[in-house]
Amino acid sequence: MPTEPLQKDPAYEKFKKQIFELTKIDLSSYKEAQMKRRINDMIRKNSFNGYDAFVQGIKSDKKLFNDFVEHLTINVSEFYRNVDQWKLMDEQIIPSLIERFGKRLKIWSAACSTGDEPYTIVMLLSKHVPMDMIRITATDLDAEALRKAKAGMYDAKSVNGVPAEFKNKYFVKDGDKYIISDEIKRRVDFRQANLLRDPYPQDVHLIVCRNVLIYFTEEAKDDIFRKYFASLMPQGYLFIGSTEQIVQYRDIGFTRKGSFFYEKPAKV
């Protein structure tokens, strides 16, 4: 027998529209059960009685508004996360890109969170090209995460995977914090952007977007992957996270290079 379609929650549908008006975040593009659980937990912890009261709360309390956006965007990041994948990047992907496009690579770190990954890219690239030739564009929806990224201050857990050569060269320890050097920070341009609605950079050689799209619906993921494909130069690469896969990568046009690297072919 056919299954009954799930009934929509009118209160949550209204809430999604209100949040879009306030933040331009389209909650319909996120997996509903997971996102509702996170939102309801925050409403409960802040002692609001339902969605309407919470909306009024974030309208009147700037800190609560910022906390809510940060909660929605699920910022979990660290340097050299899944080190074997970065090893492949270092030994195969970057040399391949330099051979194809030269040393001035156009690289986009999408959904960059607190900056761990774009700074990791800079450190890796510094092994292959002069530092003054490195320029990374890094974008995220969350303004607070971008503020932290620009500050470049991290706890011990975040930098645990950084090779000793880089930790000694590019970080200064200040109490229980590690501050990344200005030499690295200068190589990254941080910007606020929404993957679901803002224009994407074009003619990019490498896009890094890791462990973010798992929170999106299948339709939203497919749309984003197709936009990434359009953004890449032929023979450019997309690097995704270990928790992700592009199920329809052949339909989009990608070829697979290793578990988490996808290439846009020379002729499409």
Side-chain angles (χ1 to χ4, degrees):
M1 293 180 62
T3 57
E4 290 290 326
L6 292 175
Q7 295 296 313
K8 291 186 178 294
D9 177 353
Y12 187 65
E13 292 302 306
K14 177 186 175 184
F15 177 74
K16 288 194 296 186
K17 291 177 182 176
Q18 292 173 313
I19 293 306
F20 183 77
E21 290 171 2
L22 289 171
T23 68
K24 301 306 179 204
I25 297 173
D26 183 5
L27 292 176
S28 296
S29 294
Y30 292 81
K31 294 176 180 175
E32 184 161 311
Q34 192 175 46
M35 189 54 72
K36 275 184 76 174
R37 189 164 53 248
R38 292 177 62 82
I39 291 168
N40 290 342
D41 181 59
M42 188 171 190
I43 290 173
R44 192 164 46 249
K45 284 182 176 177
N46 285 277
S47 302
F48 286 97
N49 184 23
Y51 294 125
D52 286 340
F54 185 68
V55 168
Q56 294 308 311
I58 62 175
K59 281 182 177 179
S60 60
D61 186 334
K62 185 74 183 322
K63 182 181 184 304
L64 181 63
F65 177 89
N66 290 336
D67 289 346
F68 174 63
V69 171
E70 186 173 7
H71 190 67
L72 283 189
T73 51
I74 315 168
N75 291 306
V76 178
S77 189
E78 59 191 55
F79 288 82
Y80 282 84
R81 187 176 182 181
N82 310 118
V83 67
D84 288 345
Q85 296 166 29
W86 291 103
K87 188 170 186 287
L88 180 62
M89 168 88 88
D90 180 29
E91 295 177 354
Q92 296 184 32
I93 301 300
I94 290 175
S96 173
L97 288 170
I98 291 171
E99 183 179 345
R100 295 170 180 182
F101 303 112
K103 292 185 176 181
R104 291 193 181 275
L105 296 171
K106 187 172 183 180
I107 298 174
W108 175 27
S109 174
C112 67
S113 186
T114 52
D116 313 47
E117 285 182 350
Y119 289 144
T120 296
I121 298 167
V122 174
M123 288 187 284
L124 269 189
L125 278 173
S126 72
K127 296 172 64 175
H128 300 268
V129 302
M131 187 70 79
D132 63 3
M133 296 179 73
I134 299 171
R135 194 91 245 159
I136 311 292
T137 296
T139 63
D140 200 273
L141 177 63
D142 184 354
E144 179 61 18
L146 291 172
R147 185 194 66 76
K148 292 177 181 177
K150 292 174 184 177
M153 182 180 292
Y154 301 93
D155 59 26
K157 182 179 182 297
S158 293
V159 303
N160 188 53
V162 177
E165 60 173 311
F166 288 150
K167 191 181 288 186
N168 294 334
K169 186 175 183 180
Y170 294 125
F171 289 87
V172 173
K173 196 169 188 301
D174 183 7
D176 60 350
K177 300 293 185 182
Y178 288 81
I179 303 170
I180 201 162
S181 73
D182 288 343
E183 185 180 13
I184 298 293
K185 287 199 284 189
R186 281 194 293 266
R187 308 332 305 167
V188 184
D189 294 320
F190 289 103
R191 303 173 191 171
Q192 189 172 21
N194 186 334
L195 288 175
L196 294 169
R197 68 182 186 90
D198 290 333
Y200 286 21
Q202 295 300 304
D203 301 322
V204 180
H205 301 127
L206 172 67
I207 298 173
V208 179
C209 183
R210 308 181 68 236
N211 306 309
V212 174
L213 301 190
I214 53 172
Y215 304 106
F216 287 66
T217 64
E218 292 304 314
E219 293 79 9
K221 284 193 286 189
D222 184 71
D223 182 55
I224 290 171
F225 285 136
R226 290 180 186 278
K227 289 178 180 178
Y228 283 159
F229 185 84
S231 291
L232 286 168
M233 286 281 287
Q235 295 189 286
Y237 289 103
L238 169 64
F239 179 23
I240 66 172
S242 59
T243 57
E244 299 164 321
Q245 60 176 324
I246 308 177
V247 177
Q248 306 292 344
Y249 71 90
R250 290 189 185 91
D251 292 343
I252 296 172
F254 282 115
T255 57
R256 196 168 178 174
K257 299 290 182 181
S259 297
F260 308 104
F261 291 90
Y262 295 81
E263 182 183 8
K264 181 174 181 176
K267 293 182 179 179
V268 293

